[in-house]
């Protein structure tokens, strides 16, 4: 019995701790994003509330709660209220399988810095990630507004398209690491830096990263809320904290997506060339936790960087990229990885060689794809009006 | 604990399944169906088939139901009008449903040992792992697996052919 009690206490502490840290980071990111935007556009960003404007987060929270809550007259009340929570729950539950750090051994007990190390972790991420679209669709439909409905429809087709590409990228990764458990995948990448899967699966990484942008609905894939076409898209009718939850859900989604990218392709909490110790103490646990967040926050920064760099896709470009480029590329990647694993098993060559070989082939493939994408199509405007006359 | 969870999930599953067929609003039906799929996935987890559970969510809740919802919203189906004229189908459906229910109940209470019971959870747990699933799919059941693959390919080709013909 005391064993079960200790287990429950331990799991509750880990869960609450991870939940708190993630939500804290996400809250600060809403401030961070505006600071990054300010830095990129050569202005200050929020700097009024507290030192460096750090209390802007609190001010925003108060403002969200204090604003008038408005439900449109002929909206579907139940779904309208439920939709933001759907989005937020789907985004938040992904954190259950992400390994935020190594295990800690305290007084003979082994504590994992991960809520649940399930043997279908990667599939769990795909499953829950695909559910986040329900909140957007339900919200768009329940608002009883044509723009919102269009936003919801766009979200649903976009998610389905890019989920396939994401799944294909993961298949190749699983073939290499031989496990769906995220912890096993991280441990497999420990050691020298070229053990990171980004070096053995560059093409898979590219597909996964682009698909992660699309799944999180960030620029350049934020067509569900394209403000110049759809007013505000699915959240046009939302105000006060209900809109806040949508926004918070999006931030949670892309923060956790960054964590997943760091875990799957950049070694998770491992430090290059440092093998995890046999009996890790608290210090090592903290160190691995910090290393994980450094990697994850770098990708969060890239998410923001891209937001202030690239314009939004046109809708047919989005679908064309998803179905005609990402999916064929993903299938090519699977066949290539499978063939190379077979070939090198037969010849008995170390993994790193596979990495270089794959990288060489992949770079060629990428060049072809990029060249193809850049070449003019009949659908694009073939000239800029008046430019040749001036 | 396991029994309690089973009954809790069973109640939710049956209740949401009933909601699917009694709601007049198609969007509600779709959302309740998603809930039903979730309960079924939870049953899979309790039986030790975690891989199947994840696939259930990814394929049904994550993809097929999103497409259903997409279509329902595209057509913007509102509450249907009262059915014109009485047809024989509701009565027919009721007879089939009640009959099937009776047969199943009779089977359930018809005698000891008729229902397969999971005795050893560790064994089923090992069977439900993705690697053992894959191994049995590619050795013991390789022929049905390949046939299913060809069938799916045929369906994909058919869908493309239909879509192409539309454009002319």
């Amino acid at each position: 019995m005391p064993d079960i009690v200790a287990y429950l206490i331990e799991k509750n502490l880990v869960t609450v701790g991870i939940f708190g840290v993630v939500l804290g980071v996400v809250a600060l990111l809403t401030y961070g994003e505006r600071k990054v935007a300010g830095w990129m556009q050569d202005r200050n960003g929020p700097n009024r509330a507290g030192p460096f404007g750090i209390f802007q987060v609190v001010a925003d929270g108060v403002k969200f709660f204090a604003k008038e809550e408005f439900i449109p007259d002929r909206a579907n009340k139940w779904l309208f209220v439920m939709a933001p929570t759907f989005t937020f729950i789907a985004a938040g539950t992904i954190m259950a399988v992400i390994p935020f750090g190594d295990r800690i051994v305290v007084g003979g007990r082994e504590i994992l810095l991960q809520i649940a190390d399930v043997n279908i972790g990667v599939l769990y991420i795909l499953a829950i990630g695909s559910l986040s679209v329900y909140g957007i669709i339900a919200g768009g439909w329940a608002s009883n507004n044509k723009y919102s409905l269009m936003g919801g429809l766009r979200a649903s087709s976009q998610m389905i398209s890019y989920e396939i590409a994401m799944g294909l990228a993961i298949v190749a990764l699983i073939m290499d690491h031989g496990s769906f458990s995220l912890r096993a995948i991280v441990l497999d990448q420990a050691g020298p830096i070229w053990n990171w899967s980004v070096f053995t699966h560059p093409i898979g990484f590219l597909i996964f990263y682009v698909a992660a942008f699309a799944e999180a609905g960030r620029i350049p894939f934020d067509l569900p809320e394209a403000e110049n076409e759809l007013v505000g898209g699915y959240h046009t009718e939302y105000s006060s904290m209900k809109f806040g939850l949508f926004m918070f859900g999006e931030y949670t989604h892309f923060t956790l997506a960054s964590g997943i990218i760091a875990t799957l392709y950049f070694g998770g909490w491992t430090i290059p060339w440092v093998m995890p110790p046999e009996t890790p103490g608290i210090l090592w646990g903290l160190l691995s936790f910090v290393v994980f967040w450094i990697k994850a926050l770098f990708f969060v920064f890239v998410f923001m960087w891209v937001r202030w760099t690239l314009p939004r896709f046109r809708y047919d470009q989005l679908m064309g990229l998803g179905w005609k480029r990402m999916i064929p590329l993903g299938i090519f990647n699977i066949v290539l990885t499978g063939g190379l694993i077979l070939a090198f098993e037969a010849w008995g060559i170390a993994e790193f060689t596979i990495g270089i070989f794959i990288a060489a082939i992949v770079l060629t493939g990428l060049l072809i794809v990029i060249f193809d994408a850049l070449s003019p199509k009949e659908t694009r405007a073939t000239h800029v009006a008046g430019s040749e006359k001036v | 604990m396991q029994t309690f969870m089973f009954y809790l999930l069973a109640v939710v599953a049956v209740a949401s399944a009933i909601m699917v067929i009694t709601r007049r609003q198609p969007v509600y039906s779709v959302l309740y169906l998603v809930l039903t799929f979730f309960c079924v996935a939870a049953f899979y987890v309790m039986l030790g088939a975690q891989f199947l559970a994840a696939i259930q969510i990814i394929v049904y809740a994550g993809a097929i139901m999103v497409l259903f919802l997409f279509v329902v919203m595209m057509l913007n189906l509102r509450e249907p009008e009262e059915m014109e004229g009485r047809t024989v189908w509701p009565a027919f459906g009721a007879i089939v449903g009640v009959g099937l229910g009776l047969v199943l109940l009779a089977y359930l209470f018809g005698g000891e040992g008729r229902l397969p019971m999971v005795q050893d959870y560790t064994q089923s747990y090992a069977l439900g792992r993705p690697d053992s699933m894959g191994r049995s799919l590619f050795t013991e059941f390789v022929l049905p697996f390949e046939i299913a693959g060809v069938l799916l390919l045929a369906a994909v080709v058919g869908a493309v052919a239909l879509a192409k013909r539309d454009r002319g």
Side-chain angles (χ1 to χ4, degrees), chain A residues 76 78-79 86 119-120 123-124 126-128 130-131 133-134 137-138 141 144 146 149 153 156-157 160 163 180, chain B residues 25 27-28 31 34 38 50-51 54-55 57-58 61-63 65-67 69-70 73-74 76 78 125 129-130:
Chain A
N76 188 317
W78 259 97
L79 276 181
F86 285 164
N119 59 16
I120 50 162
L123 290 173
Y124 175 90
L126 276 182
I128 303 296
S130 65
L131 295 176
V133 71
Y134 278 108
I137 307 182
W141 181 78
N144 191 29
K146 289 280 190 293
L149 183 67
L153 288 178
S156 61
S157 49
I160 285 189
E163 220 162 75
F180 283 106
Chain B
Q25 183 67 262
V27 172
Y28 281 148
L31 290 177
V34 174
F38 259 95
Q50 317 104 27
F51 181 72
I55 295 299
I57 301 274
I58 293 174
M65 293 326 285
V66 174
L67 276 182
L69 212 52
F70 184 83
M73 285 180 183
M74 263 311 228
N76 209 6
R78 295 283 166 197
Y125 185 77
R129 287 170 49 128

Side-chain angles (χ1 to χ4, degrees), chain A residues 163-369:
Chain A
E163 220 162 75
I164 301 172
M166 191 181 248
L168 289 176
I170 285 180
V171 167
L173 192 77
I174 299 303
M175 282 159 71
D176 188 6
H177 292 299
S179 177
F180 283 106
S181 155
L182 285 164
R183 186 175 157 77
I185 291 176
V186 168
L187 287 175
D188 207 33
Q189 296 176 63
I193 198 166
W194 50 79
N195 272 3
W196 287 2
S197 347
V198 67
F199 296 113
T200 39
H201 298 273
I203 204 165
F205 165 67
L206 187 85
I207 298 171
F208 190 91
Y209 205 10
V210 174
F213 271 93
E215 295 256 303
R218 293 280 298 182
I219 284 178
F221 296 102
D222 68 336
L223 282 107
E225 47 182 309
E227 69 270 358
N228 47 0
E229 304 161 25
L230 299 178
V231 191
Y234 61 91
H235 59 59
T236 304
E237 301 286 356
Y238 281 88
S239 56
S240 82
M241 202 53 208
K242 288 210 218 51
F243 168 72
L245 264 185
F246 266 135
M247 201 188 76
F248 213 62
E250 185 193 312
Y251 275 83
T252 313
H253 196 138
F254 83 78
T255 308
L256 292 177
S258 306
I260 293 164
I261 290 163
T263 301
L264 291 180
Y265 290 97
F266 289 85
W269 45 259
T270 58
I271 307 169
W273 288 287
V274 178
M275 292 309 278
E278 285 293 313
T279 49
I282 292 177
L283 262 181
W284 170 257
L286 277 179
L287 188 65
S288 63
F289 194 69
V290 170
V291 167
F292 172 85
W293 275 110
I294 290 173
K295 290 177 182 174
L297 286 177
F298 172 74
F299 290 103
V300 168
F301 173 71
V302 178
F303 266 99
M304 295 173 177
W305 185 1
V306 168
R307 172 168 179 184
W308 300 108
T309 308
L310 292 181
R312 187 177 291 132
F313 276 109
R314 214 171 55 209
Y315 198 69
D316 60 315
Q317 292 173 334
L318 170 93
M319 282 293 151
L321 181 72
W323 287 95
K324 293 179 190 160
R325 307 247 187 280
M326 302 306 249
I327 292 177
L329 205 61
I331 294 172
F332 169 73
N333 187 30
I334 291 176
V335 174
L336 186 75
T337 311
L340 284 175
I341 288 176
L342 262 186
F344 285 113
E345 253 173 29
W347 301 331
I349 299 179
E351 270 177 72
F352 180 44
T353 343
I354 301 186
I356 288 185
F357 195 46
I358 292 188
I361 297 179
V362 156
L363 282 179
T364 337
L366 268 185
L367 281 179
I368 295 169
V369 170

